[in-house]
Amino acid sequence: MKTLTPIHITDNYLINPTNPITVNLIGCGGTGSQMLTNLARINQAMLALNHPGLMVFAYDDDTVSEANLGRQLFAEAEIGLYKSVVLINRINRFFGTNWKAVTQRYDADYVEAQSNDGKANLFVTCVDNAVSRFEIATILEGFTGYQSYERNRPLYWMDLGNSKDTGQVVLSTIGNHKQPESKKYAPVGNLPFVTETFKELLETADATDNTPSCSLAEALTKQDLFINSTLANMGSSLLWQLFKEGLLFNRGFFMNLHDFRTQPLKVA
């Protein structure tokens, strides 16, 4: 008997939304700063295809330091300013968008204080430690039983993470998405969270050294110059497939920039 290939078919709301798709980008550092620019490019392309596009909220309570220059998309004149504000202002001026910057940490305390519970259709996380991922996972798990057709209904979570020259991207569904029947493929409606798929690995991982670097030279001993941009570009390509093609055979990938190798994470 022939085994059908597992695929995930994009939730219809992302394909035919009545409003711009809401996106919470959490973290505006090395990967997040690159990811925000890519989201703007995706938005521009979607508008050209008569899609309502994206409405992005960028969350980060950190400010620009000298060590961020070069590896992250910041200039010397922006030192001391909030990263999220700098990036959102730049994107809005260049692309004519009306996206919003939030100079707060996206955590349980923040969500509890919001009237809309901090919801969005898509969550993109670019955080640098496992603790933050587990906290965000707990928040998103609270959204899984949310069956309303409100325009901010949480649907997907994309997590991007990296070390010095390796990284990974994992796309998950927030809850189970009903899939159409298919005789050619085996549609999969539930893509587990990264904290579920790789729970033991995250729990046993060495604690990340979050001590701020004093210079770009010191920062480059912790993360390669192009690891963040490479990861963001490939992750954005996965998002573009989700929006434009409407189906996925892969829900992410592992990347080794030192050896120039990538390994897809299949839908299963």
Side-chain angles (χ1 to χ4, degrees):
M1 182 177 178
K2 183 178 179 180
T3 302
L4 299 180
T5 302
I7 63 167
H8 175 75
I9 298 175
T10 306
D11 188 276
N12 186 62
Y13 185 76
L14 295 194
I15 306 299
N16 298 297
T18 54
N19 297 281
I21 295 169
T22 50
V23 181
N24 281 351
L25 174 66
I26 303 172
C28 295
T31 303
S33 60
Q34 304 277 350
M35 197 68 194
L36 184 63
T37 301
N38 289 350
L39 288 172
R41 295 173 62 192
I42 290 175
N43 175 67
Q44 194 81 357
M46 294 169 76
L47 292 175
L49 297 174
N50 296 317
H51 187 285
L54 307 176
M55 177 63 195
V56 177
F57 298 82
Y59 292 83
D60 201 313
D61 62 349
D62 194 16
T63 57
V64 180
S65 68
E66 184 178 350
N68 298 145
L69 308 183
R71 195 176 61 82
Q72 302 181 18
L73 295 181
F74 300 108
E76 187 173 356
E78 296 165 338
I79 293 176
L81 302 178
Y82 281 108
K83 292 180 177 180
S84 57
V85 173
V86 168
L87 294 171
I88 285 294
N89 285 342
R90 187 188 305 162
I91 291 295
N92 286 343
R93 289 195 302 269
F94 190 92
F95 289 94
T97 50
N98 188 32
W99 293 357
K100 306 298 182 184
V102 183
T103 58
Q104 297 186 53
R105 178 185 174 88
Y106 189 93
D107 55 17
D109 291 337
Y110 172 82
V111 171
E112 186 177 353
Q114 302 308 302
S115 59
N116 65 350
D117 296 328
K119 294 185 179 74
N121 303 132
L122 170 66
F123 288 78
V124 180
T125 53
C126 305
V127 296
D128 56 9
N129 59 76
V131 174
S132 296
R133 286 185 175 85
F134 280 111
E135 183 173 13
I136 291 169
T138 300
I139 294 171
L140 299 186
E141 284 171 358
F143 297 155
T144 56
Y146 193 70
Q147 299 298 326
S148 170
Y149 284 92
E150 180 185 356
R151 65 189 182 98
N152 285 338
R153 182 165 56 104
L155 298 170
Y156 291 94
W157 174 21
M158 173 177 279
D159 179 71
L160 301 91
N162 67 280
S163 58
K164 182 178 180 181
D165 49 22
T166 62
Q168 73 286 328
V169 170
V170 179
L171 180 70
S172 309
T173 57
I174 301 175
N176 186 64
H177 295 187
K178 186 177 180 180
Q179 301 281 284
E181 295 183 1
S182 174
K183 295 182 179 179
K184 186 175 181 180
Y185 300 109
V188 177
N190 181 50
L191 305 177
F193 285 177
V194 62
T195 50
E196 179 182 345
T197 305
F198 303 106
K199 181 179 180 180
E200 293 184 2
L201 182 62
L202 289 173
E203 288 177 337
T204 57
D206 293 334
T208 302
D209 180 9
N210 292 319
T211 304
S213 301
C214 297
S215 66
L216 175 58
E218 182 181 348
L220 291 174
T221 66
K222 300 177 181 180
Q223 295 193 46
D224 185 75
L225 181 60
F226 292 106
I227 183 66
N228 301 113
S229 55
T230 304
L231 195 67
N233 282 334
M234 293 187 66
S236 298
S237 181
L238 179 61
L239 271 186
W240 181 238
Q241 287 185 25
L242 183 73
F243 292 135
K244 189 172 187 295
E245 298 181 12
L247 58 85
L248 297 176
F249 293 93
N250 304 298
R251 55 175 294 218
F253 59 87
F254 298 94
M255 178 184 69
N256 186 320
L257 191 59
H258 185 266
D259 294 335
F260 302 104
R261 290 184 291 111
T262 58
Q263 177 64 42
L265 179 61
K266 299 289 185 182
V267 172

